[in-house]
Amino acid sequence: MRIDRLLAMTVLLLSRGRVSAAELAERFEVSTKTIYRDMETLNQAGIPIVAHQGSTGGFEIMQQYTIHRQFLTLDEITSVVAAVKGIGTVLDDRAMGNLLGKVQSMLSKQDIRETEQKGARFVFDFNPWGQGVGARAKFDMLRQAAEESRLIQFRYSSINGKETERVAEPLTLILKGPLWYLYGYCRLREEFRVFRLTRMQDIRVISETVPRRPAPELKEQFRWEPQWSGGKAQHVVIHFSPKVRYRVLDVFDPTSVEILKDGSLKVSCPYLIDDWFYGLMLSFGADARIEQPAEAAAEIRRRAEKITALYTESGHTDVLVHPVQ
């Protein structure tokens, strides 16, 4: 319907700024002539559309214009409320409380009663399981340092357990899956790096402020870059018993998992083989067997035998450990 397209165009221009007629035509699957007619319709409806000519031209809405409450449905507003509440689970900030109050004020008493009767459509809790008050304090400290452009100093543990002293210029906090990361410029490595918050210890904010360094643009879907791991992925083939199916699907990309006739699973994918990988494999115990590469299977056997020897030397001979074959 045309009215839906016009509303979608208004929201897009408000969020994106200037957009070319060609891009609008492609996005909404209409001709550029239709786009020009739609822009004229929006202008006549009181929405101040400005047209710019030239190679960087396009349409945009005047800066002073904002969208009104009536353009949002009740479900859309309650979704925003849920998202703001989720941010409040990790961010101890009065501004978030104020924002929540402003968004909730867009709901009438009837809307509130209706949402209470329906129950919550979404619940966002950005605090990972097992994280206490300390995790929230760490998050707040890093957020404030990033906002004030202050240097931070900390000890960082790599996936191989090696600790290094770092000084970094914090830029952005990123939630990826259940984990929080800090994106910033590492002065030790002299490049932008991603740090996992759980591996950052003894964080100290340095009083010195620094100019905000231009950073590579983060993509909408933040992806892990192979160079961050400091190694090259190898092709692995792993066989899992049916008992750990749920864990396999939690850890590996579903497209790399093949479910066999007997219910067991076969995983075939590129993976960085390091201490993290070996720890993951050992956590599956006898329910996982590495088929490829052979050297990874041999290393798992060596580590399993070392664990067996440790318990044997301690006199725990009643503990039976079966190394992975």
Side-chain angles (χ1 to χ4, degrees), residues 64-285:
Q64 296 83 356
Y65 184 82
T66 58
I67 198 166
H68 293 291
R69 154 71 175 93
Q70 58 263 33
F71 284 103
L72 300 175
T73 67
L74 177 58
D75 284 344
E76 288 169 340
I77 294 179
T78 52
S79 296
V80 174
V81 170
V84 175
K85 285 182 177 178
I87 296 173
T89 62
V90 70
L91 187 60
D92 188 10
D93 193 333
R94 182 177 298 178
M96 285 299 106
N98 294 337
L99 174 58
L100 179 60
K102 290 177 182 178
V103 176
Q104 287 178 323
S105 69
M106 299 171 69
L107 297 171
S108 67
K109 292 181 179 179
Q110 176 60 35
D111 290 338
I112 294 172
R113 284 194 294 270
E114 187 175 337
T115 55
E116 288 175 348
Q117 290 172 356
K118 286 182 178 180
R121 295 175 63 243
F122 302 106
V123 175
F124 300 101
D125 189 340
F126 299 134
N127 239 341
W129 291 108
Q131 300 294 316
V133 179
R136 187 167 181 169
K138 180 187 290 187
F139 186 95
D140 284 333
M141 181 192 303
L142 294 172
R143 177 192 61 83
Q144 187 172 357
E147 288 181 353
E148 297 176 356
S149 298
R150 296 187 183 276
L151 292 173
I152 57 170
Q153 187 174 13
F154 56 95
R155 285 188 299 107
Y156 192 69
S157 299
S158 69
I159 55 177
N160 296 319
K162 183 180 179 181
E163 285 194 353
T164 52
E165 292 288 337
R166 305 290 184 104
V167 173
E169 303 169 20
L171 184 66
T172 305
L173 284 159
I174 300 167
L175 176 66
K176 183 68 173 177
L179 299 172
W180 282 99
Y181 297 86
L182 174 72
Y183 179 61
Y185 185 82
C186 176
R187 291 195 168 186
L188 177 65
R189 306 303 185 199
E190 296 184 338
E191 61 181 352
F192 282 93
R193 286 292 184 100
V194 173
F195 303 100
R196 184 166 160 175
L197 262 61
T198 55
R199 295 183 187 157
M200 299 173 65
Q201 304 298 326
D202 299 331
I203 303 173
R204 186 169 64 90
V205 178
I206 303 174
S207 58
E208 177 187 354
T209 58
V210 293
R212 194 173 180 88
R213 192 185 297 265
E217 182 182 359
L218 293 175
K219 303 301 181 183
E220 289 185 6
Q221 291 195 348
F222 190 72
R223 299 183 183 275
W224 184 265
E225 300 294 339
Q227 62 267 26
W228 295 340
S229 301
K232 185 177 180 181
Q234 299 182 50
H235 187 76
V236 299
V237 178
I238 312 165
H239 189 270
F240 294 92
S241 76
K243 290 192 299 182
V244 294
R245 175 174 176 172
Y246 71 97
R247 281 195 61 199
V248 173
L249 296 175
D250 280 345
V251 173
F252 296 96
D253 185 340
T255 60
S256 68
V257 180
E258 178 185 359
I259 300 176
L260 305 179
K261 290 183 179 180
D262 62 355
S264 62
L265 300 94
K266 182 179 180 180
V267 172
S268 179
C269 65
Y271 212 98
L272 181 66
I273 299 178
D274 54 12
D275 282 342
W276 176 272
F277 172 78
Y278 290 125
L280 175 65
M281 289 299 98
L282 287 170
S283 72
F284 283 96

Side-chain angles (χ1 to χ4, degrees), residues 41-73:
T41 300
L42 291 174
N43 262 320
Q44 292 175 358
I47 300 175
I49 303 290
V50 180
H52 298 271
Q53 304 298 322
S55 58
T56 60
F59 297 101
E60 65 180 336
I61 295 178
M62 292 180 65
Q63 187 174 358
Q64 296 83 356
Y65 184 82
T66 58
I67 198 166
H68 293 291
R69 154 71 175 93
Q70 58 263 33
F71 284 103
L72 300 175
T73 67

Side-chain angles (χ1 to χ4, degrees), residues 26-38:
E26 181 180 358
R27 185 181 183 97
F28 294 100
E29 299 180 346
V30 295
S31 67
T32 52
K33 288 184 178 180
T34 299
I35 294 298
Y36 280 97
R37 286 197 296 268
D38 286 347

